[in-house]
Amino acid sequence: PRPNHRETASAGNHPHFQPGTGRPDREDRRLLPVPQTRMERVLADRAAELGVEVRRGHELTGLSQHADAVTVEVVGPTGRYEISSRYVVGADGAHSTTRKLAGIEFPGAASDDIVTRIAEVAVPNEFVDPATGGLNLPGYGHISPMYHRTERGVFAHARFPSRPDLVFTVEWATDGIDTDAPLNLEEVHDSIYRVMGADLPLRPPEGRGPHRLDRSIGVNTRLADRYHDGRVLLVGDAAHVHFVIGGPGLNLGLQDAINLGWKLAAVIHGWAPPGLLDTYGAERRPVGERVAMHSQAQLALLAPGAEVTALRELFTELLRDQHTAAHIANMMAGADICYDMGTESTHTLIGRWAPDLLLDTGNGPVRLADLTTTARPLLVDCTENACLATEADGWRDRIDIVTAHTSNTAATGLLLRPDCYIAWATDSPDPGPHERESMRTALTTWFGTAQRPSQRRPVPPRSAAGPR
Ligand SMILES: Cc1cc2nc3c(=O)[nH]c(=O)nc-3n(C[C@H](O)[C@H](O)[C@H](O)COP(=O)(O)OP(=O)(O)OC[C@H]3O[C@@H](n4cnc5c(N)ncnc54)[C@H](O)[C@@H]3O)c2cc1C
């Protein structure tokens, strides 16, 4: 879906960055807070559109791998049954049964002394600062939206359109908690009081529930020791868990799925080059490792104590440097990912997520993003004589080819994988034989061998104005 600008916030507004300096260094990168329920609805609608059957209330209970198939045992509302398929993707969350049944270890670190509490609540309107959405807490003062650390813990408050306010606390003491008793508003209130030293009256939110009220003891940072084992693949929290700060979890999981989706489709449709599926774990596990690293680092910076306060002061000084702030902002946004595309070409965009260029295709301006909705590989040829399109003729059955003009001189030719990472690029207006050969190599590396002329069937021309 297109960004809803009412919900769009730049990384520069994040309290961990100095305003105005901590933006990811590209304007097309923004933090876009989207409720998970909305995201799930969008994905469910798209799955339905594609004819995917989603079976709710069916539980995976067994899994066995064979040479050419994998069989899963499922318990559904009407009993137990089996399904065999060529691959299984475990997207079954942190306690993934798929991962356990496939014998994939989940090593990492556990911080058992931490308790987090999260609740949907109503706070007195007179406490909310209409200008910032933050809180004016009597006895404490102004609190910016989102995370706020004191020497005793962390408090966060967030206001969302058409949803109840969220409050969240983190404390580094688990003594005396009755873990059998469900969390209630009084316990949340007392936790806020301990962290802030001030009283924030809480009421249940208006409207029909159930309203969120969760307590969680311990923080796990874990990464599957492999994302791919034979015919089993893991995505999302099944492959990685980490502290929630900064909210990178959903993006990380979606990017796993987008990275894996087209590769698995290529294997199933029979055009995948050898080893394509292995690149899934090779690319995504290091990204998961990096998120684990920065969420642990942030957890350390939130801990109580005078030494941590001193460390935060040092970090605050460092973040005044624009390059450091941009480095951190890019890391938090996942905008620093650069995959190894296995090419000798050195164009700076290779391996990176495609910029949303504005292209002139002869039918008016079109955004590059709008050309990628077919989820097929895409070659954008802005060279003077459209020589790249000719060169890629043998791959037309698998890739979309668009010839266009762009005022952006950074790239005259871009080869995008379906996950929108750039496999190859040039800035030459008239690429020579060596460059064209390097594009052919990239096409073969990612999209398999070219069809011989005798194998080719006519492909309808790609509409430049939008998806086919
Ligand atoms: C308190 C909290 C706050 C968070 N805040 C944010 C945030 O602000 N931003 C953000 O990006 N992320 C946030 N996250 C993380 C985010 O929720 C997860 O990263 C995301 O939900 C992972 O999605 P997933 O599909 O991989 O797993 P899940 O959302 O856990 O989904 C797994 C699904 O698999 C199903 N399942 C499990 N076992 C089986 C089985 N045996 N058979 C069949 N089905 C099964 C489950 O029922 C579930 O539907 C937060 C997490 C928590 C706990």
Side-chain angles (χ1 to χ4, degrees):
R2 293 279 180 80
N4 170 349
H5 290 282
R6 278 188 310 127
E7 292 189 349
T8 300
S10 81
N13 294 334
H14 196 285
H16 290 261
F17 303 117
Q18 294 297 309
T21 61
R23 291 166 190 278
D25 55 12
R26 279 169 38 179
E27 278 304 308
D28 55 350
R29 300 284 165 82
R30 289 177 292 262
L31 293 186
L32 178 64
V34 178
Q36 183 164 351
T37 45
R38 182 170 160 210
M39 176 66 75
E40 286 176 5
R41 205 167 50 239
V42 168
L43 293 174
D45 288 350
R46 178 69 178 145
E49 210 177 294
L50 295 172
V52 175
E53 182 193 351
V54 178
R55 294 185 190 171
R56 300 193 187 274
H58 295 243
E59 187 185 353
L60 170 79
T61 54
L63 182 150
S64 53
Q65 296 205 52
H66 319 286
D68 53 0
V70 53
T71 302
V72 293
E73 258 178 53
V74 180
V75 176
T78 56
R80 181 179 299 272
Y81 62 96
E82 287 189 353
I83 313 177
S84 285
S85 60
R86 287 174 62 190
Y87 293 93
V88 163
V89 178
D92 47 353
H95 302 285
S96 172
T97 307
T98 314
R99 186 186 65 230
K100 291 171 194 159
L101 291 171
I104 299 174
E105 296 294 323
F106 202 37
S111 314
D112 294 330
D113 59 338
I114 298 176
V115 55
T116 55
R117 296 178 177 91
I118 188 162
E120 288 183 329
V121 297
V123 300
N125 262 337
E126 62 273 23
F127 284 30
V128 180
D129 179 343
T132 64
L135 290 178
N136 291 316
L137 187 60
Y140 187 87
H142 185 262
I143 308 169
S144 303
M146 300 304 281
Y147 297 96
H148 188 82
R149 174 191 174 268
T150 71
E151 292 257 329
R152 295 168 300 278
V154 174
F155 166 68
H157 165 258
R159 179 151 276 204
F160 301 100
S162 45
R163 277 205 297 157
D165 287 9
L166 261 189
V167 290
F168 174 73
T169 62
V170 190
E171 290 183 89
W172 273 254
T174 54
D175 301 341
I177 297 173
D178 178 1
T179 49
D180 292 332
L183 180 64
N184 57 38
L185 280 192
E186 192 186 343
E187 185 180 326
V188 178
H189 168 270
D190 292 352
S191 173
I192 296 172
Y193 189 83
R194 283 192 297 274
V195 171
M196 303 304 293
D199 185 38
L200 177 64
L202 301 177
R203 279 181 294 110
E206 307 268 314
R208 279 197 302 145
H211 297 297
R212 188 165 186 183
L213 210 47
D214 291 324
R215 181 202 308 114
S216 158
I217 296 189
V219 169
N220 276 298
T221 305
R222 296 182 183 277
L223 207 59
D225 68 359
R226 54 200 186 282
Y227 280 24
H228 177 186
D229 183 287
R231 298 186 168 276
V232 176
L233 298 121
L234 301 177
V235 297
D237 279 18
H240 38 69
V241 291
H242 49 80
F243 187 51
V244 297
I245 191 158
L250 257 177
N251 265 348
L252 191 60
L254 283 172
Q255 288 270 338
D256 290 345
I258 291 166
N259 188 296
L260 176 61
W262 73 271
K263 293 174 182 173
L264 203 47
V267 171
I268 286 161
H269 289 133
W271 58 259
L276 183 66
L277 214 46
D278 295 332
T279 67
Y280 165 62
E283 289 182 346
R284 293 305 299 165
R285 198 173 179 282
V287 177
E289 251 172 353
R290 197 159 167 74
V291 170
M293 176 274 285
H294 73 65
S295 57
Q296 275 185 305
Q298 290 176 83
L299 187 58
L301 282 168
L302 289 173
E307 294 88 351
V308 176
T309 305
L311 188 59
R312 289 172 65 88
E313 272 173 37
L314 181 63
F315 255 79
T316 305
E317 275 182 29
L318 293 174
L319 286 174
R320 288 198 186 104
D321 173 62
Q322 209 157 340
H323 295 291
T324 310
H327 178 92
I328 302 280
N330 281 324
M331 181 173 72
M332 297 282 299
D336 59 351
I337 295 170
C338 185
Y339 297 135
D340 177 4
M341 292 293 171
T343 170
E344 287 173 5
S345 298
T346 54
H347 194 286
T348 51
L349 285 176
I350 292 175
R352 300 202 171 268
W353 199 48
D356 194 8
L357 301 177
L358 201 61
L359 302 167
D360 178 0
T361 57
N363 294 327
V366 57
R367 288 172 54 206
L368 180 58
D370 288 333
L371 296 174
T372 62
T373 54
T374 57
R376 278 160 56 92
L378 172 68
L379 175 66
V380 180
D381 184 351
C382 300
T383 60
E384 281 165 2
N385 51 8
C387 63
L388 301 178
T390 313
E391 200 77 33
D393 219 33
W395 285 269
R396 272 184 194 273
D397 60 319
R398 274 151 281 168
I399 74 171
D400 288 341
I401 300 176
V402 170
T403 51
H405 298 286
T406 177
S407 56
N408 187 316
T409 50
T412 51
L414 287 176
L415 179 63
L416 270 65
R417 305 190 319 190
D419 58 358
C420 291
Y421 281 83
I422 296 176
W424 179 88
T426 180
D427 52 14
S428 164
D430 184 15
H434 185 70
E435 273 207 282
R436 296 203 304 272
E437 184 53 35
S438 77
M439 184 189 73
R440 289 180 67 89
T441 306
L443 281 161
T444 311
T445 302
W446 293 105
F447 313 124
T449 47
Q451 282 191 317
R452 289 191 303 277
S454 60
Q455 295 174 303
R456 294 180 202 164
R457 281 181 292 141
V459 176
R462 175 79 159 84
S463 158
R468 204 168 41 197

